[in-house]
Amino acid sequence: MKFEPISKVPGFKFGHAQDLEAFTGCTVILCDDGSIGGVDQRGGSPGTRETDLLRPLHMVENVNAILLTGGSAFGLDAAAGIMRFLEEKGKGIDTGFARVPIVPGAVIFDLGFGSSKIRPDAVMGYEACKNASEQEPKQGNYGAGTGATVGKILGNSQAMKGGIGHAAIEIGGGVWIGALMVVNALGDIVDPYSRSIIAGARSIKKSIIKIGETDRFANTLTVMGSFIGQKSLSFSAKQNTVIGAVLTNAKLSKDETNKLAQAGQNGLVLSIQPSHTMFDGDTMFAVSSQKKPSNINSVAAFAPLVVAQAIVNAVTFAESLGGIPSASDLIHV
C-alpha cells in the first residue's frame, strides 16, 4: 500500500505555527466552503471546543477549520485567531448580524515540557492561518506536535519525542482519504504490522544508545501490569492525548462523517499500545470536502490504515528536543 502526503486530499489547506523555545504550537486545517464535519471522542481526559455541534441531531453541518493545538485548555485561545482570520475572509454562518466561523478544536497537554507559561494564543492561531497552504505540511516537531511526547508511564525522564504526522491514499475514482495526527500518547507507538515498538517508554535498565538490546523499551503494557506501573500512573496522568482529523473528498452526510471519525479512532488501536486510556483525551475529527461521489463503507475501511501510518510518521519524523530523544536517534546511532 503506497501512502501519500495529506496534501493529496482535495479541499484543504494546512498551516503550522510554533514556539521552539517554549516547546508548543498549533496546527490549523482550513476547509473549503461546504465541508461537513464529524467527531468521535474516546479518551477519558479531553480538551475540546465546538464538538457537540458536529454530532448528529445538531443543526450545524459545515465547518470552516479544525484546530489542533498544544497548551492544554489554554491553547484553545488559538481558535480566536483562526476565527478572526476566517471572518476577514467572509467565512462562517451568516447570522444576520455577523458571520460566525465554525472552528472545532482539540488540545494536547504539553505544559510539562518546555514552558508552562507560554501557550498557543490568538496570535499564534492567526499566524498558522497565514502559513496555511495546499502544500505538504511538515511532520515531526511542528505545529501542535512541537511539544508532543510519548511513552510517559515512567515519567518524562524515560519518555520519547512525539510529533505531528500525516498520510493519505487514493481508493479509486479520484477519492482520497488521509489523516493528520498529533501524537502525545501515554502508551508506546508500535508498527501496525509487526507490533514492534518504534518509540515509547525507555527501559531504566538500558541506555537508549544500546540499540542492539531487545529491552531498550520498558513496554508500557508490561509496566502497567506491574506494581511499579500501578504507582506510575498517578504521575503519568494528565500529560497525554492523541488528537487528529481524518479528511476525505468523498461526498458524505453528517452522520456518515461521524462514522468516519469513529473508524479513524481504530487506527489508534493499530499503532498505540495501549490507546484510549482514561489518561488520554483522544479526539478524532472527520471532514468531507464533498468533491467526489463515494460509499461510506469504502472510505471508512481505509480510515484506520491512514491514521495508523500518520501516527507512525509523527514519531519517525520527530527529532530530539529539550533532552527528550526521538526514534530517529535509535535509527542513526
Side-chain angles (χ1 to χ4, degrees):
M1 185 175 298
K2 180 175 171 46
F3 292 100
E4 301 283 352
I6 188 70
S7 52
K8 290 285 189 177
V9 184
F12 303 96
K13 294 180 179 179
F14 309 91
H16 295 313
Q18 55 275 323
D19 186 322
L20 292 177
E21 293 184 2
F23 302 159
T24 193
C26 67
T27 297
V28 64
I29 304 169
L30 299 180
C31 310
D32 275 4
D33 292 346
S35 295
I36 292 179
V39 68
D40 186 75
Q41 199 288 310
R42 295 190 188 180
S45 303
T48 58
R49 77 182 301 274
E50 299 278 41
T51 51
D52 280 347
L53 59 79
L54 297 182
R55 304 182 196 278
L57 304 180
H58 293 72
M59 185 175 69
V60 173
E61 289 192 344
N62 300 126
V63 297
N64 301 111
I66 299 291
L67 167 66
L68 306 174
T69 182
S72 189
F74 296 107
L76 292 174
D77 282 350
I82 299 171
M83 292 185 70
R84 180 165 67 88
F85 179 89
L86 291 169
E87 184 182 26
E88 291 173 356
K89 302 294 184 182
K91 306 295 185 180
I93 295 176
D94 187 356
T95 66
F97 301 95
R99 285 194 173 272
V100 180
I102 304 301
V103 185
V107 307
I108 65 167
F109 187 99
D110 57 6
L111 301 181
F113 181 46
S115 173
S116 62
K117 301 298 183 182
I118 299 175
R119 311 105 177 193
D121 56 13
V123 173
M124 187 179 286
Y126 192 90
E127 180 184 356
C129 291
K130 291 198 298 181
N131 293 337
S133 75
E134 296 178 348
Q135 301 302 308
E136 177 182 348
K138 292 183 177 180
Q139 303 183 81
N141 299 359
Y142 293 93
T146 303
T149 51
V150 300
K152 288 167 278 190
I153 188 71
L154 297 177
N156 287 340
S157 64
Q158 302 305 120
M160 291 182 66
K161 190 68 183 67
I164 191 166
H166 56 80
I169 52 177
E170 184 180 11
I171 63 174
V175 175
W176 284 86
I177 178 171
L180 181 70
M181 300 299 301
V182 183
V183 184
N184 187 60
L186 169 72
D188 302 323
I189 309 307
V190 300
D191 183 293
Y193 305 101
S194 70
R195 308 306 298 167
S196 60
I197 299 174
I198 301 171
R202 291 174 290 132
S203 172
I204 60 176
K205 297 179 181 180
K206 298 290 182 180
S207 165
I208 191 171
I209 63 173
K210 295 184 178 179
I211 61 174
E213 302 288 347
T214 58
D215 58 351
R216 65 178 179 264
F217 294 114
N219 193 317
T220 297
L221 284 181
T222 300
V223 175
M224 291 181 76
S226 67
F227 175 74
I228 190 174
Q230 304 301 314
K231 299 183 69 175
S232 297
L233 288 174
S234 63
F235 63 79
S236 301
K238 303 179 182 179
Q239 300 187 47
N240 323 288
T241 284
V242 175
I243 57 177
V246 178
L247 309 177
T248 183
N249 64 333
K251 290 184 178 180
L252 301 177
S253 67
K254 184 174 182 178
D255 285 352
E256 289 171 337
T257 308
N258 275 270
K259 177 56 71 174
L260 182 60
Q262 290 180 351
Q265 287 276 20
N266 295 331
L268 273 66
V269 179
L270 291 177
S271 55
I272 302 174
Q273 184 174 278
S275 56
H276 302 140
T277 74
M278 291 300 290
F279 307 122
D280 292 282
D282 301 336
T283 301
M284 185 74 68
F285 297 102
V287 184
S288 163
S289 61
Q290 303 290 302
K291 306 292 186 185
K292 291 281 187 178
S294 188
N295 181 292
I296 178 57
N297 294 297
S298 298
V299 177
F302 288 90
L305 303 181
V306 292
V307 168
Q309 186 62 45
I311 290 170
V312 169
N313 287 348
V315 297
T316 55
F317 277 86
E319 298 179 354
S320 58
L321 184 69
I324 302 292
S326 68
S328 61
D329 295 324
L330 291 177
I331 297 171
H332 295 116
V333 169

